[in-house]
């Protein structure tokens, strides 16, 4: 099902192509269900776009495209980390969503958040999977040189968890956790913010009463086994993997701490978005398309993700994190259908929460006038979501 | 009593070193096999309890209620190890996807990085060592700097290099260079400083200039020590590459370990560790041969 370009002034075939791609993208966005879309096209014929144009600003998008299609990237280097949050990227690559948006994506696995941050900053990567607070931290110059970022879409919602060592199975009340050590994946992560918020709610000061250590997810499991840490707040499928390895149990899902919270973002440098607006738009649309596809493919998704080149984990572990029917490590099978979600949009309330935590836990102390500036910059960074 | 005496006096001494080594390996393998034997487990009769056991990975998927099943041990068994090693080694050069390449390519990339970094270290350390060893006042100036820089761990260099060079691959090569540099440099300095007086006097008698003195007298006299330094430096380089690649690489044997570690796949990590050990021993053997060929005793 393809819509021909219906502008009359196209002189160049590549512009023509781009228009038709964009129109189809817009159509897909307006009518996500393929059956509805086909029926709509059959009914409306060539006037389909004209009708949609009354609902959406198509002309400005075409104008933006016309001025930039001459500059096209041959190959986009895009990075992901092998965690469940990367599912939309992996699905987009594997099911050819990127190529249907005329994007030539070289999807590369990376080993740490700091590395991804530096490679985006130095333009080794064009776009990357990032922890939700990272693009804002980078744009504010927190923990790294200041690089203005722009987020194309959020990657996922919920899907994280607090895992505690099986050694503490009889001390499940957080009030008894004074002096405990916890693993977190990165300072500027939802994991850190959610865990701090959770500890504070239970009367523990995250800076004084416990210790938070930055660890890679695999190291979290190894350290939990070695009793070097008492628990961790990590990404899936590593929480479920800790249960599978019989070293920990799932204490609280992030779903039960702040339902609908975002976890990872997908973003580019601001200057990339400005120089290549059509690529940026195509990336955003491709990701949304991929996120819609995910909803219909729960059955074979774990198999796809478990490939060595992607998550490299047992399908059964991934499946439990995805479907929300899982063993909790304490002998119960739990059912939480919303354990993991893949929403592209960031609710304004969630963005406000994120910025508030950043200030609350003192990460913006080094900045002057953050009170007025941070929220504005955050809105800019996450504007496309 | 007689048999024991015969055994110890006559047969045991005849077993060669190689056979002893084989026997040791065999004993380890047998112990490993018996410690990781599968156990027989009876599946629960309650559907929910069965589902829990399956979701925990304790029972294979699609196990029937109340069935008795053989469950593999937690630690990887020799047979599992052999199977996963065979899978990896059967196709070591596969390269369909940049995120999933064969172990041969990982090893080769690591060896290339080590070769480049090590060569750089040799090219810097040997001339610098001859210079510092022969010019006393220069040595006095540089000694404290060398002493401070020498004990810095490769992992500590990495962030500094990543920040300044801004390229992960080049940074890891630089780290290898920096870490392999010190043993070669110090050995060269020491050897040049301790060149036998008689040899230097021969050069002075023949009215050699500085350059000729270095190339004809100091360098050949220091060669055995330089080769020894290079051998140590190569060992260090091979140690460092693993650590460096675990931090930065998207390819290389260190990254392979990190990736398998991420998957908590003990069998593949064991394979990689064995390969690293074997390659390290081969590199060391290579330098041993070079030492034998070009080294000599300075009387």
């Amino acid at each position: 099902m393809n819509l021909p370009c219906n502008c009359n002034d196209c002189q160049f075939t590549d512009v023509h192509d781009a228009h038709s791609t964009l129109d189809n993208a817009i159509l897909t966005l307006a009518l996500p269900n393929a059956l509805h879309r086909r029926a709509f096209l059959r009914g409306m014929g060539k006037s389909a776009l004209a009708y949609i144009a009354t609902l959406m600003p198509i002309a400005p998008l075409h104008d933006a495209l016309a001025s930039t299609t001459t500059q096209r990237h041959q190959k986009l280097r895009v990075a992901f980390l092998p965690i469940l949050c990367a599912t939309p990227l992996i699905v987009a690559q594997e099911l050819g969503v990127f190529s249907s948006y005329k994007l030539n994506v070289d999807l590369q696995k990376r080993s740490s958040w700091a590395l991804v941050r530096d490679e985006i900053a130095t333009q080794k990567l064009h776009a990357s999977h990032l922890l939700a607070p990272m693009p804002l931290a980078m744009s504010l110059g927190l923990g790294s040189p200041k690089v203005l970022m722009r987020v194309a879409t959020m990657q996922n919602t919920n899907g994280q968890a607090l895992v505690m060592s099986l050694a503490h199975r009889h001390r499940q009340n957080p009030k008894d956790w004074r002096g405990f050590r916890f693993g977190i994946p990165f300072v500027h992560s939802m994991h850190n913010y959610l865990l701090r918020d959770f500890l504070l709610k239970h009367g523990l000061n995250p800076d004084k009463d416990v210790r938070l250590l930055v660890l890679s997810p695999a190291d979290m499991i190894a350290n939990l086994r070695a009793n070097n840490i008492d628990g961790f707040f990590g990404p899936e499928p590593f929480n479920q993997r800790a249960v599978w390895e019989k070293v920990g149990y799932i204490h609280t899902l992030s779903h039960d701490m702040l339902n609908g919270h975002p976890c990872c973002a997908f973003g580019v440098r601001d200057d990339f978005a400005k120089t290549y607006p059509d690529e940026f738009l195509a990336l955003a649309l491709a990701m949304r398309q991929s996120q819609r596809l995910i909803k219909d493919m729960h059955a074979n998704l774990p198999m796809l993700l478990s490939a060595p080149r992607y998550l490299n984990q047992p399908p059964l572990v991934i499946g439990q994190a995805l479907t929300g029917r899982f063993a909790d490590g304490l002998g119960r099978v739990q059912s939480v259908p919303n354990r993991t979600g893949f929403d592209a949009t960031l609710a304004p309330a969630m963005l406000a929460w994120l910025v508030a935590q950043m200030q609350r836990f003192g990460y913006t102390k080094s900045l002057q006038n953050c009170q007025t500036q941070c929220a504005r910059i955050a809105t800019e960074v996450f504007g496309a979501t | 009593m007689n048999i024991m005496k015969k055994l110890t006096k006559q047969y045991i001494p005849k077993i060669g070193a190689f056979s002893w080594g084989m026997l040791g390996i065999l004993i380890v393998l047998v112990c490993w096999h018996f410690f990781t034997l599968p156990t027989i487990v009876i599946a629960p009769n309650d559907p929910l309890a069965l589902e829990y056991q399956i979701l925990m990975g304790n029972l294979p998927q699609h196990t029937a209620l109340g069935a008795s099943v053989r469950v593999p041990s937690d630690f990887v068994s020799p047979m599992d190890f052999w199977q996963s090693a065979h899978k990896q080694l059967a196709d070591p050069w596969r390269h369909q996807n940049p995120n999933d390449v064969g172990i041969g390519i990982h090893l080769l990339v690591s060896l290339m990085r080590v070769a480049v970094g090590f060569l750089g270290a040799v090219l810097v350390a040997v001339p610098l060592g001859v210079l510092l060893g022969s010019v006393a006042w220069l040595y006095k100036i540089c000694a404290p700097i060398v002493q401070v820089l020498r004990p810095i761990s490769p992992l500590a260099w990495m962030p500094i290099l990543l920040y300044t060079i801004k390229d992960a691959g080049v940074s890891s090569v630089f780290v290898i260079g920096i870490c392999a540099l010190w043993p070669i440099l110090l050995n060269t300095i020491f050897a040049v400083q301790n060149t036998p007086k008689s040899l230097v006097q021969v050069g002075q008698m023949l009215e050699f200039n500085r350059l000729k003195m270095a190339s004809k007298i100091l360098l050949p006299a220091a060669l055995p020590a330089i080769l020894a330094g290079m051998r140590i430096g190569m060992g260090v380089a091979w140690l460092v590459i693993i650590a460096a690649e675990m931090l930065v690489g998207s390819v290389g044997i260190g990254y392979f370990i990190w990736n398998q570690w991420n998957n908590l796949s003990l069998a593949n990590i064991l394979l990689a560790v064995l390969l690293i050990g074997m390659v390290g021993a081969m590199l060391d053997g290579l330098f041993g041969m070079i030492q034998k060929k070009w080294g000599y005793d300075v009387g």
Side-chain angles (χ1 to χ4, degrees):
Chain A
M1 183 218 56
N2 257 337
L3 203 61
C5 176
N6 64 348
C7 66
N8 299 319
D9 50 310
C10 279
Q11 293 159 10
F12 307 105
T13 46
D14 62 333
V15 174
H16 213 83
D17 270 1
H19 277 186
S20 144
T21 310
L22 185 67
D23 289 346
N24 281 304
I26 290 164
L27 200 62
T28 321
L29 202 60
L31 292 166
N33 187 317
L35 289 173
H36 294 172
R37 199 160 59 235
R38 253 168 240 153
F40 176 74
L41 269 179
R42 223 177 288 127
M44 301 289 281
K46 262 210 151 188
S47 59
L49 265 181
Y51 176 71
I52 294 176
T54 61
L55 308 169
M56 286 175 111
I58 293 183
L61 286 175
H62 275 190
D63 289 347
L65 206 56
S67 59
T68 52
T69 30
T70 42
Q71 276 191 312
R72 263 211 171 258
H73 257 294
Q74 285 305 301
K75 199 164 212 183
L76 292 175
R77 284 189 300 277
V78 178
F80 74 98
L81 268 81
I83 54 176
L84 204 58
C85 309
T87 306
L89 273 171
I90 294 169
V91 167
Q93 178 79 342
E94 198 68 11
L95 298 192
V97 179
F98 282 137
S99 42
S100 77
Y101 283 86
K102 302 242 161 85
L103 290 165
N104 183 4
V105 168
D106 177 14
L107 191 62
Q108 304 174 351
K109 184 146 64 176
R110 284 291 179 273
S111 53
S112 84
W113 293 114
L115 181 65
V116 162
R117 176 197 65 201
D118 293 346
E119 288 196 332
I120 276 277
T122 57
Q123 291 168 312
K124 291 267 162 217
L125 292 169
H126 296 114
S128 180
H129 168 196
L130 302 160
L131 288 159
M134 274 172 76
L136 181 56
M138 289 168 79
S139 302
L140 294 171
L142 302 174
S144 65
K146 193 165 166 174
V147 182
L148 211 53
M149 295 290 292
R150 200 160 280 268
V151 172
T153 61
M154 302 316 284
Q155 300 224 82
N156 63 326
T157 39
N158 297 338
Q160 324 301 315
L162 174 60
V163 172
M164 296 300 294
S165 166
L166 274 181
H168 301 310
R169 58 184 303 163
H170 300 300
R171 276 206 280 178
Q172 294 189 19
N173 189 344
K175 292 196 166 57
D176 304 332
W177 293 351
R178 208 165 289 273
F180 275 21
R181 293 149 62 98
F182 294 92
I184 52 170
F186 197 68
V187 172
H188 297 291
S189 64
M190 293 304 281
H191 309 84
N192 183 21
Y193 299 170
L194 283 168
L195 179 59
R196 282 169 175 268
D197 185 54
F198 180 81
L199 292 170
L200 272 168
K201 273 181 187 153
H202 289 91
L204 291 173
N205 181 332
D207 289 312
K208 292 189 181 130
D209 298 333
V210 298
R211 279 187 67 190
L212 304 184
L213 312 166
V214 174
L215 293 169
S216 85
D219 288 338
M220 290 176 184
I221 295 178
N223 278 300
L224 200 64
R225 194 196 293 275
N227 278 328
N228 283 335
I229 54 174
D230 303 287
F232 65 79
F233 201 104
E236 294 298 352
F238 287 93
N239 304 318
Q240 198 59 49
R241 185 70 195 246
V243 173
W244 177 272
E245 296 290 327
K246 295 158 197 74
V247 294
Y249 68 93
I250 292 182
H251 186 278
T252 309
L253 295 175
S254 69
H255 165 270
D256 299 325
M257 295 182 185
L258 183 68
N259 192 7
H261 75 82
C263 181
C264 288
F266 176 67
V268 299
R269 276 173 68 118
D270 180 60
D271 49 8
F272 176 91
K274 286 202 172 109
T275 322
Y276 306 102
D278 54 333
E279 262 92 352
F280 181 64
L281 183 70
L283 280 172
L285 292 173
M287 286 291 281
R288 283 173 164 81
Q289 171 68 13
S290 163
Q291 281 161 325
R292 273 191 298 275
L293 289 174
I294 290 170
K295 296 206 171 92
D296 302 329
M297 57 183 294
H298 266 309
N300 50 4
L301 196 51
M303 214 53 210
L304 171 72
L305 295 174
S306 72
R309 61 185 182 278
Y310 296 130
L311 303 195
N312 203 9
Q313 297 273 357
L316 198 53
V317 173
I318 297 174
Q320 293 182 59
L322 267 178
T323 58
R325 187 163 177 85
F326 61 95
D328 64 0
L330 292 175
R332 286 186 303 260
V333 176
Q334 292 195 29
S335 241
V336 185
N338 290 331
R339 177 172 177 181
T340 303
F342 296 98
D343 277 355
T345 48
L346 178 64
M350 288 300 172
L351 181 58
W353 186 87
L354 198 157
V355 177
Q357 307 313 307
M358 219 174 214
Q359 292 174 312
R360 176 187 180 195
F361 299 123
Y363 296 120
T364 55
K365 238 184 249 165
S366 57
L367 304 171
Q368 280 150 7
N369 58 33
C370 179
Q371 288 300 335
T372 52
Q373 294 297 306
C374 285
R376 186 184 58 76
I377 294 174
T379 320
E380 257 173 51
V381 170
F382 291 95
T385 63
Chain B
M1 202 59 214
N2 208 8
I3 297 168
M4 277 306 283
K5 227 176 204 170
K6 222 174 181 178
L7 204 69
T8 49
K9 284 263 168 74
Q10 284 189 358
Y11 295 111
I12 291 182
K14 281 183 188 156
I15 304 173
F18 179 75
S19 310
W20 279 116
M22 281 292 130
L23 186 69
I25 292 173
L26 196 72
I27 291 171
V28 170
L29 278 177
V30 168
C31 291
W32 184 10
H33 174 75
F34 279 106
F35 276 114
T36 55
L37 277 178
T39 44
I40 305 273
V41 176
I42 308 287
N45 280 312
D46 172 36
L48 208 59
L50 178 66
E51 185 184 0
Y52 183 80
Q53 292 302 326
I54 290 172
L55 290 180
M56 288 296 287
N58 294 341
L59 291 171
Q61 270 173 290
H62 312 298
T63 304
L65 288 170
S68 69
V69 199
R70 282 163 69 88
V71 175
S73 93
D74 284 344
F75 195 84
V76 55
S77 73
M79 218 42 219
D80 292 341
F81 173 72
W82 171 248
Q83 270 165 7
S84 74
H86 187 77
K87 211 167 120 196
Q88 289 291 344
L89 296 175
D91 191 12
W93 309 113
R94 78 170 179 283
H95 192 95
Q96 298 118 343
N97 186 298
N99 297 321
D100 181 25
V101 301
I103 195 164
I105 293 179
H106 283 301
L107 258 182
L108 214 62
V109 167
S110 296
L111 278 171
M112 282 295 290
R113 284 180 179 152
V114 166
V116 174
F118 179 75
L119 212 68
V122 171
L123 288 180
V124 172
V126 173
L128 193 66
V130 173
L131 188 70
L132 292 184
S134 52
V135 185
W137 58 269
L138 209 56
Y139 176 72
K140 278 180 195 151
I141 291 176
C142 294
I145 301 173
V146 171
Q147 291 308 329
V148 169
L149 292 182
R150 194 170 59 95
I152 296 176
S153 145
L155 296 176
W157 280 113
M158 208 66 219
I160 302 171
L161 288 172
L162 269 178
Y163 190 83
T164 45
I165 300 176
K166 298 188 169 155
D167 183 296
V170 179
S171 302
S172 56
V173 170
F174 258 86
V175 168
I176 293 163
I178 291 173
C179 293
L181 185 79
W182 308 116
I184 308 174
L185 182 69
L186 291 178
N187 263 29
T188 311
I189 294 174
F190 181 77
V192 168
Q193 280 174 344
N194 292 299
T195 309
K197 279 268 158 50
S198 53
L199 290 177
V200 180
Q201 282 164 353
V202 170
Q204 284 167 342
M205 194 191 75
L206 293 170
E207 294 184 357
F208 279 177
N209 59 17
R210 289 225 141 176
L211 199 69
K212 213 160 185 187
M213 184 72 107
S215 66
K216 295 280 178 196
I217 306 283
L218 298 179
L219 209 52
L223 193 61
I226 293 174
L227 286 177
M230 280 165 73
R231 191 171 176 178
I232 300 168
M234 180 51 94
V236 171
W238 190 238
L239 281 181
V240 167
I241 184 73
I242 309 300
E245 282 175 346
M246 279 177 117
L247 279 184
V248 301
S250 53
V251 64
I253 194 73
Y255 174 77
F256 178 84
I257 290 200
W258 180 86
N259 200 14
Q260 297 308 330
W261 170 227
N262 222 12
N263 181 27
L264 303 165
S265 161
L266 221 47
N268 281 333
I269 294 174
L270 278 177
L271 172 70
V273 166
L274 272 179
L275 278 177
I276 290 168
M278 269 147 59
V279 170
M282 264 151 66
L283 287 175
D284 194 66
L286 187 74
F287 272 86
M289 271 158 60
I290 293 173
Q291 265 185 317
K292 243 184 210 158
K293 194 150 169 83
W294 282 295
Y296 51 83
D297 278 332
V298 185

